[in-house]
Amino acid sequence: MKMWSGRFRQPLNSEFERWQRSFGFDRRLLRYELAASGAHAAALKSAGVLSANELIGILQGLEQIGKQATGALAFFEDDEAEDVHHFVEKQLVALIGDVGYKLHSGRSRNEQIATDLRLYVRATIDQLREELGELSSSFADRAEQAGGAAIPAYTHLQRAEPVLVGHWLLAYVEMFLRDADRLSDCRKRLNVCPLGSGAVAGATLSLDRSLMADKLGFDAPTANSIDATSDRDFAIEFVQTLSLLALHLSRWAEEMILFSTQEYGFIGLPEAYSTGSSAMPQKKNPDLLELVRGKSGRVVGQATALMVTVKGLPLAYNKDLQESQEPLFDSADTLLRMLPLVTGWMKAAELHLETMQQAAQSGFMNAWAAATYLVNRGVPSRLAHERIGKAVQMCLERNCELHELPLEQLRSLSPAFGEDFYESLTLKSVLAVHDVPGGTAPNRVQQAIGAARKKIESLREEVHAHA
Ligand code: ARG
């Protein structure tokens, strides 16, 4: 039976009827639909609409549907179901008879889909945060394993200063932990329960909204029925957060692609995650990285699709909102599938620490440290900068590095240069000079690895507390 055929004299155009259905994609919400229906049934019982026996029958029916859904896919073959809400009603009536039709008393699909989607996003956030913990942890492991090895840090994609490899990798951990944090923030705001909002004005029966919220693990009922049935902010916040995460992964992928070229030679592509060329026998291509970079465009596109869908909608529910589901699912699926692969790649990648280290020792990356040497001897910073610039110029003429300039040459630039200048140019000294919290001095990086691990641990604990 349809959910709304009474006032219609003519049947629907069959093509339109099929076209407007959402069951093809909202069937994945089944378990949330069942949970929300269970909570609604309990409220119906306490409002006196269902007898104790009817409640038991309905709850058992819902449970049965959940069990059947884990079996053969054929269970979902239904030529009539308009959406997951209709599907559950049909199945319930097939299992327990007409009493199944009582479940829809005092509720609307508008509040149901709003509730199901909140439950879906909440569960997906927990999964994604768990994956972000794994990913961050693989980066922290590689940071620790890299020990004292250095790599050039770039600005403008020009060699700027040497940093510890660990310091560089921890930059990504910061991004991922912020993403995890944003997800947690989104989770806090979405965790309120639309049930009892009805179609737009509130339920027509006196349902215990706190009871329903409690049963579903929500913090409270939503405050306004109009907002509750039309709000998709939580979905937008979620896909925007995923867009930013995808951007971070894309930037990472781009850097790995560059660093794996022969021109850099810093990274060896793990074979298990690379492919060959059908034409050029020598090729090993960074496909995983390229797809990570490519799929970020897709995730950003879905966030845009969702925002534009909501943009022109007057309050409250409009069927356009059905179109909010697929972008949401696609963004989440894209990241859920991608994150474990990125973690796997990161564990398997070869870091060519010697090549990195060599690159970190050339190209005048000690110039700022050299200027700092002069500053520490009382030369004003601007002049020190200028003097070292001149020294670099001398080196370029002689095709040498700063430490290869004889002392008398240096003294011709400034009397402040002494024998100990050479000591200040070594990679070790250059790294050590960045001895501030958040800097690349080895003791600071050690502390940062410890701090990152602590944050990852508390992220994991939070996720497990929600499980
Ligand atoms: N399938 C619909 C959706 O996803 C459910 C809500 C339908 N509500 C309505 N008034 N037709 O938005």
Side-chain angles (χ1 to χ4, degrees), residues 8-66:
F8 282 76
R9 284 173 302 191
Q10 286 176 11
L12 289 193
N13 170 290
S14 60
E15 211 167 305
F16 165 63
E17 204 280 322
R18 275 196 305 278
W19 178 76
Q20 55 94 42
R21 286 184 206 167
S22 53
F23 188 52
F25 51 84
D26 68 13
R27 64 181 61 184
R28 63 152 69 204
L29 297 173
L30 183 77
R31 68 163 124 155
Y32 308 114
E33 175 69 10
L34 294 173
S37 293
H40 178 70
L44 286 177
K45 160 72 181 53
S46 66
V49 179
L50 293 179
S51 71
N53 275 342
E54 286 171 335
L55 174 65
I56 291 172
I58 286 177
L59 292 180
Q60 284 174 346
L62 294 173
E63 200 185 321
Q64 184 61 26
I65 296 171

Side-chain angles (χ1 to χ4, degrees), residues 110 199-200 224-233 310-318 321:
N110 298 355
V200 61
N224 180 295
S225 62
I226 305 173
D227 177 54
T229 48
S230 61
D231 171 35
R232 291 296 181 273
D233 289 3
V310 172
K311 178 178 170 294
L313 299 186
L315 293 176
Y317 178 83
N318 296 271
L321 288 176

Side-chain angles (χ1 to χ4, degrees), residues 38-97:
H40 178 70
L44 286 177
K45 160 72 181 53
S46 66
V49 179
L50 293 179
S51 71
N53 275 342
E54 286 171 335
L55 174 65
I56 291 172
I58 286 177
L59 292 180
Q60 284 174 346
L62 294 173
E63 200 185 321
Q64 184 61 26
I65 296 171
K67 279 191 191 139
Q68 281 173 276
T70 58
L73 266 179
F75 176 62
F76 286 101
E77 275 166 27
D78 185 329
D79 271 352
E80 225 181 50
E82 212 176 293
D83 52 26
V84 66
H85 322 293
H86 187 203
F87 178 75
V88 168
E89 181 173 280
K90 286 181 63 198
Q91 291 293 329
L92 191 61
V93 170
L95 283 169
I96 66 171

Side-chain angles (χ1 to χ4, degrees), residues 367-387:
W368 196 6
T372 305
Y373 169 90
L374 291 180
V375 168
N376 287 337
R377 267 144 206 85
V379 181
S381 170
R382 182 57 49 231
L383 301 181
H385 183 287
E386 198 267 344
R387 294 292 85 191

Side-chain angles (χ1 to χ4, degrees), residues 51-360:
S51 71
N53 275 342
E54 286 171 335
L55 174 65
I56 291 172
I58 286 177
L59 292 180
Q60 284 174 346
L62 294 173
E63 200 185 321
Q64 184 61 26
I65 296 171
K67 279 191 191 139
Q68 281 173 276
T70 58
L73 266 179
F75 176 62
F76 286 101
E77 275 166 27
D78 185 329
D79 271 352
E80 225 181 50
E82 212 176 293
D83 52 26
V84 66
H85 322 293
H86 187 203
F87 178 75
V88 168
E89 181 173 280
K90 286 181 63 198
Q91 291 293 329
L92 191 61
V93 170
L95 283 169
I96 66 171
D98 276 2
V99 72
Y101 287 129
K102 287 200 174 186
L103 176 61
H104 206 57
S105 314
R107 75 172 179 177
S108 156
R109 284 183 291 165
N110 298 355
E111 62 182 309
Q112 282 171 261
I113 188 62
T115 306
D116 294 358
L117 288 176
R118 279 176 194 264
L119 291 171
Y120 163 79
V121 173
R122 189 176 75 184
T124 310
I125 283 177
D126 292 345
Q127 275 174 283
L128 285 165
R129 292 185 82 228
E130 172 138 35
E131 290 302 338
L132 280 170
E134 295 305 303
L135 179 64
S136 304
S137 171
S138 70
F139 274 72
D141 289 346
R142 300 304 307 247
E144 184 137 32
Q145 289 155 13
I151 184 173
Y154 299 81
T155 63
H156 313 270
L157 204 53
Q158 305 288 329
R159 283 185 190 177
E161 293 184 274
V163 292
L164 283 187
V165 172
H167 193 56
W168 162 60
L169 291 173
L170 287 180
Y172 287 107
V173 174
E174 287 302 304
M175 298 180 214
F176 300 142
L177 291 176
R178 280 200 298 274
D179 293 322
D181 223 41
R182 262 185 290 272
L183 284 171
S184 149
D185 189 48
C186 173
R187 191 189 197 283
K188 278 179 209 144
R189 237 183 324 277
L190 73 71
N191 205 28
V192 282
C193 184
L195 291 187
S197 298
V200 61
T204 50
L205 300 169
S206 80
L207 300 175
D208 184 344
R209 298 196 62 206
S210 299
L211 171 84
M212 295 191 281
D214 262 8
K215 282 199 175 293
L216 295 170
F218 285 117
D219 296 329
T222 49
N224 180 295
S225 62
I226 305 173
D227 177 54
T229 48
S230 61
D231 171 35
R232 291 296 181 273
D233 289 3
F234 62 95
I236 295 176
E237 280 187 41
F238 176 65
V239 296
Q240 284 177 337
T241 299
L242 294 191
S243 299
L244 193 42
L245 166 56
L247 294 190
H248 292 151
L249 291 171
S250 181
R251 292 183 75 176
W252 166 80
E254 169 63 14
E255 192 160 78
M256 295 305 108
I257 292 169
L258 275 176
F259 286 3
S260 69
T261 56
Q262 274 179 33
E263 283 68 14
Y264 281 85
F266 295 167
I267 303 271
L269 293 173
E271 291 197 3
Y273 296 94
S274 307
T275 59
S277 157
S278 61
M280 296 162 280
Q282 85 285 8
K283 293 288 295 287
K284 183 163 70 163
N285 292 330
D287 289 37
L288 179 138
L289 302 168
E290 291 168 305
L291 285 173
V292 166
R293 193 175 54 188
K295 283 178 193 289
S296 70
R298 170 179 178 151
V299 176
V300 173
Q302 301 291 22
T304 309
L306 184 46
M307 284 190 284
V308 178
T309 299
V310 172
K311 178 178 170 294
L313 299 186
L315 293 176
Y317 178 83
N318 296 271
K319 186 86 168 206
D320 313 44
L321 288 176
Q322 185 167 285
E323 288 296 307
S324 67
Q325 294 187 37
E326 285 172 293
L328 175 64
F329 297 151
D330 189 68
S331 306
D333 291 345
T334 302
L335 280 152
L336 278 172
R337 294 183 64 191
M338 199 149 85
L339 286 172
L341 290 169
V342 173
T343 303
W345 191 99
M346 202 55 206
K347 285 183 179 162
E350 299 157 26
L351 303 187
H352 297 156
L353 297 179
E354 269 173 32
T355 313
M356 294 179 185
Q357 176 91 1
Q358 245 168 24

